[in-house]
Amino acid sequence: MVTIKSKREIELMREACRVVALTYEELEKKIKPGMSTWELDQIAEKKMRSLGAIPAEKGYDIGIKGVPKYPATLCVSINDEVIHGIPSKNKIIKEGDIVSIDTVALKDGFNGDAARTFIIGNVSKETKRLVDVTKQAFFEGIKYAKPGNRIGDVSHAIGEYVRSQGYSVVREFQGHGIGREMHEDPGIPNYGKAGRGIRLEPGMTLAIEPMVIQGKPNILELDDGWTIITEDGSLSAHYENTILITEKEPEILTIL
Ligand code: MF3
Ligand code: CO
């Protein structure tokens, strides 16, 4: 079911999303080579709780038999890891890495969701371009996030932009509606046909999240049941914000 948020609910969405933005502000300051992804997770959890929020990914149940509940505040996916990398004391961030972080804050019953890819020190021009294109793909998509347009218009814009830049979008995972639930309808693929899917309406809150691979689009899942990696070993980046559909331009709720 696609939920339309009331004025009051939009205020609560704004606040949950602000927590996510503040968490990224903190992570951006602290992320350094030599740190473990577990340390990053601790920083994020502390920040969220200090702002009266709960890390919503912690304990998240994907609903597949045998897959444990997600154990952490952050997903931290380094280089060829696409999404859902589990923080660990043994995973150390190095100079030259790209580190994709995805997190969700739950505050007063509402969820805010965003992802960023951080560049650690010096990387090649081509790696920097991957990270830039992934972010830009989100902005290309939300140009169409207006009443009257359809979800497919957003999906199509993202997919075509990424393709035009010589990269691939991940097909098995997608953006989503968000509100009281982390994942609500509609699903928002990062590719598709313009003119298809539900019509956008003011009061919808959506998490739009291009996941981009430098090489082929194929992915693999590791034995931990969570971590997704690229099949060809090429790099992957992720960028996501929660947005609000308004009468005019969309509002990006997870940017301060
Ligand atoms: N935040 C992710 C999303 O964008 C969900 C991650 S799954 C979890 O939809 F288990 F880590 F929560
Ligand atoms: Co999301």
Side-chain angles (χ1 to χ4, degrees):
M1 195 187 62
V2 179
T3 58
I4 302 293
K5 276 76 181 177
S6 68
K7 245 185 152 170
R8 161 92 185 128
E9 290 172 330
I10 289 168
E11 286 318 308
L12 295 173
M13 280 299 294
R14 266 191 227 294
E15 179 53 22
C17 290
R18 194 179 74 93
V19 170
V20 173
L22 288 168
T23 301
Y24 279 118
E25 195 177 65
E26 180 86 356
L27 288 172
E28 187 163 21
K29 267 192 260 168
K30 300 255 166 94
I31 192 167
K32 296 227 163 49
M35 260 175 123
S36 73
T37 58
W38 178 84
E39 281 175 81
L40 281 178
D41 197 76
Q42 295 296 107
I43 290 166
E45 178 166 3
K46 223 172 118 211
K47 183 71 184 179
M48 271 188 199
R49 293 196 190 276
S50 78
L51 296 165
I54 291 168
E57 291 185 345
K58 205 170 208 175
Y60 184 79
D61 193 343
I62 211 168
I64 300 171
K65 230 184 113 203
V67 177
K69 288 182 179 156
Y70 194 75
T73 296
L74 303 178
C75 296
V76 186
S77 309
I78 303 176
N79 297 335
D80 65 328
E81 294 171 345
V82 181
I83 49 170
H84 301 170
I86 301 174
S88 158
K89 287 183 178 171
N90 301 323
K91 283 194 106 170
I92 308 297
I93 292 164
K94 303 186 310 299
E95 159 85 27
D97 283 345
I98 59 169
V99 180
S100 298
I101 301 185
D102 186 355
T103 195
V104 182
L106 174 66
K107 186 169 176 182
D108 297 329
F110 286 83
N111 291 279
D113 186 358
R116 301 284 181 265
T117 298
F118 295 101
I119 291 176
I120 311 301
N122 290 313
V123 298
S124 71
K125 260 194 180 158
E126 188 49 28
T127 300
K128 169 87 168 43
R129 191 174 76 87
L130 171 72
V131 174
D132 290 343
V133 164
T134 305
K135 180 175 181 179
Q136 187 58 29
F138 164 85
F139 287 97
E140 294 298 322
I142 68 163
K143 286 180 184 168
Y144 294 86
K146 286 179 200 168
N149 285 345
R150 293 177 185 272
I151 282 293
D153 299 322
V154 174
S155 298
H156 177 76
I158 293 171
E160 284 308 294
Y161 174 70
V162 170
R163 203 167 61 91
S164 78
Q165 298 301 309
Y167 298 140
S168 307
V169 294
V170 174
R171 290 168 176 265
E172 292 83 349
F173 295 89
Q174 58 183 2
H176 48 92
I178 180 166
R180 287 191 180 278
E181 302 295 329
M182 184 193 301
H183 296 132
E184 298 185 355
D185 289 336
I188 311 173
N190 291 307
Y191 66 95
K193 288 206 165 77
R196 300 275 178 91
I198 63 151
R199 255 184 225 288
L200 299 175
E201 286 173 46
M204 288 180 179
T205 45
L206 308 172
I208 303 201
E209 50 178 317
M211 289 154 262
V212 178
I213 298 179
Q214 208 165 31
K216 299 223 170 69
N218 307 359
I219 56 169
L220 297 171
E221 187 186 282
L222 297 188
D223 288 339
D224 62 18
W226 284 103
T227 313
I228 303 295
I229 62 169
T230 64
E231 189 185 73
D232 64 8
S234 68
L235 299 176
S236 179
H238 189 191
Y239 185 83
E240 173 181 28
N241 285 302
T242 299
I243 67 165
L244 169 68
I245 304 297
T246 76
E247 299 287 349
K248 296 183 184 142
E249 300 301 314
E251 230 181 277
I252 304 174
L253 302 182
T254 41
I255 292 181
L256 292 173

